[in-house]
Amino acid sequence: KGTIQSKEQRFDTMLEQINIRKAQLNQRLLQRKTEEEDLNETLQRCQKEYDDVSKGLEALKQKDQEFSHKAVEWRNKRREAQDVLAKSNDGYGNSIRKVMEQKEKNPGLIGVVSDLIHVEQKYEIAIETALSGNIQNIVTKDEATAKKMITYLKENRLGRATFLPLTSVSGKGFTKDKSILSDKGVLGLANELVEADEMYRDVLSYLLGRVIVVDTVDNGIALAKKNRYSLHIVTLEGEYFSPGGSLSGGRFKNNSNLLGRNREIDDIEKQLAALSEEKKAAKDRIAEIETAQALLESDREENRKQMEQHALALNTAQIHLQRVQEQKSESENAFASLNTESEEMERQVRDITAGKKEMERKRQEAGEKEEALKKQ
């Protein structure tokens, strides 16, 4: 009986120690559970941060691609605007084009004669014949501008050009008997069949004021003979009678004469603007495009900086996420180890409890034997 009681005491001591260890283990399990919940929250936060930064970076990459497409689009538009501006000077000699390219820097340059006048289609050939090479003369506000442009052509060896300063050019107009204009087939003086700004009246009088336009070559011949070949006469088909009796004519090689081109441009630009307005609009468009390109480049640079920042933030978020995942993995391993230890303790408690029951049974048997021996 004493041996059994000693064993029972030892079992009680073991059970008490196990209960103490179990309480400590439960506390550690609770602490680990709290840590795991915190880690789960941190993991979710890091995962969300990582996802948000990834989406932001993807959006910035998409935006950068859009900027790239826009940059290409603006370059194409700028090229188109420059082509429009360049085509507006097609048909002119090299020296004329080079001078007109200086127009922005020299406000005294007004324009080429062909660009400053408008002629009805039926008079185009006659007026262009009457103007001849003068159609590419350049009108300037004053003689100083003309002198400056002549110096520019000389210094750069770009050829020659004729300038018509508004301050010096003046035409005497038609000095013959005006009754001539009532003869058969006469359509009028060339300068009166041209539409232009009032400020160019003297220039047109100088260039066309002595030229009579007639409908047919036969009427032109009759008029020339009647006035003893002293008149400048041009027909609608382009035959030209000079004072003295010479007559020139034929057919244009093509329809790309400057006045015809201007009319075609005017017809097309009735829906857009006049040629001069288109040139100005093209220049303005180029300036706008350059501004847009500069702004776009600035936006792209800002977008690149944001991409770099997002890439750095993404890398940091990824490191945080990996660290939290590692901590969570370690916590899960520790938690599993604690659970294993807890299960082992529970087994030991069960064994001790079973041992105690066995000792109680034996103690009871011993008590019964003791009672029987006392009776005996």
Side-chain angles (χ1 to χ4, degrees), residues 119-216:
V119 183
E120 289 185 38
Q121 185 176 1
K122 64 181 180 179
Y123 299 132
E124 284 176 0
I125 296 175
I127 298 301
E128 184 150 356
T129 301
L131 286 171
S132 186
N134 295 327
I135 198 169
Q136 296 195 39
N137 289 358
I138 300 172
V139 179
T140 62
K141 288 184 179 180
D142 49 40
E143 293 155 280
T145 302
K147 179 182 176 183
K148 182 178 180 181
M149 289 299 99
I150 289 173
T151 302
Y152 168 75
L153 292 173
K154 282 182 180 179
E155 291 177 349
N156 294 279
R157 298 185 178 182
L158 296 174
R160 298 172 62 84
T162 300
F163 296 90
L164 303 173
L166 293 179
T167 54
S168 61
V169 173
S170 63
K172 295 180 181 180
F174 191 69
T175 57
K176 302 287 185 179
D177 185 357
K178 292 293 182 71
S179 62
I180 295 174
L181 302 179
S182 302
D183 284 5
K184 181 182 177 182
V186 175
L187 301 175
L189 291 172
N191 64 319
E192 295 175 352
L193 300 177
V194 172
E195 296 178 11
D197 196 294
E198 180 63 22
M199 64 186 295
Y200 309 128
R201 179 171 50 83
D202 288 341
V203 171
L204 292 178
S205 178
Y206 169 76
L207 296 174
L208 300 170
R210 294 177 297 168
V211 181
I212 299 173
V213 179
V214 298
D215 53 2
T216 65

Side-chain angles (χ1 to χ4, degrees), residues 1-12 356 358-374:
K1 185 179 178 180
T3 301
I4 290 170
Q5 287 176 342
S6 175
K7 286 183 179 180
E8 280 184 324
Q9 289 176 354
R10 186 162 58 85
F11 277 133
D12 288 338
K356 282 185 68 177
E358 179 66 20
M359 290 301 103
E360 285 180 4
R361 187 184 65 75
K362 287 182 178 181
R363 181 165 55 80
Q364 188 176 359
E365 288 179 356
E368 291 174 354
K369 286 181 181 181
E370 182 182 18
E371 188 65 31
L373 287 171
K374 284 181 180 180

Side-chain angles (χ1 to χ4, degrees), residues 33-49 321 324 328:
K33 189 68 175 176
T34 303
E35 290 178 358
E36 185 175 7
E37 290 176 356
D38 293 341
L39 284 172
N40 283 334
E41 291 179 1
T42 305
L43 182 62
Q44 290 177 356
R45 187 176 67 254
C46 289
Q47 185 67 49
K48 185 177 183 304
E49 181 183 352
L321 183 61
V324 172
K328 189 173 185 298

Side-chain angles (χ1 to χ4, degrees), residues 73-140:
E73 184 180 342
W74 281 120
R75 280 198 295 270
N76 291 336
K77 287 183 178 180
R78 186 174 188 274
R79 191 178 300 112
E80 289 172 4
Q82 288 176 328
D83 289 343
V84 170
L85 188 61
K87 287 179 180 178
S88 65
N89 288 325
D90 280 351
Y92 297 133
N94 180 63
S95 59
I96 310 302
R97 288 199 303 271
K98 293 299 182 181
V99 169
M100 294 313 299
E101 287 173 3
Q102 303 298 310
K103 188 174 181 180
E104 284 187 3
K105 301 177 183 177
N106 298 274
L109 275 173
I110 295 177
V112 183
V113 169
S114 62
D115 288 337
L116 301 178
I117 62 176
H118 179 78
V119 183
E120 289 185 38
Q121 185 176 1
K122 64 181 180 179
Y123 299 132
E124 284 176 0
I125 296 175
I127 298 301
E128 184 150 356
T129 301
L131 286 171
S132 186
N134 295 327
I135 198 169
Q136 296 195 39
N137 289 358
I138 300 172
V139 179
T140 62

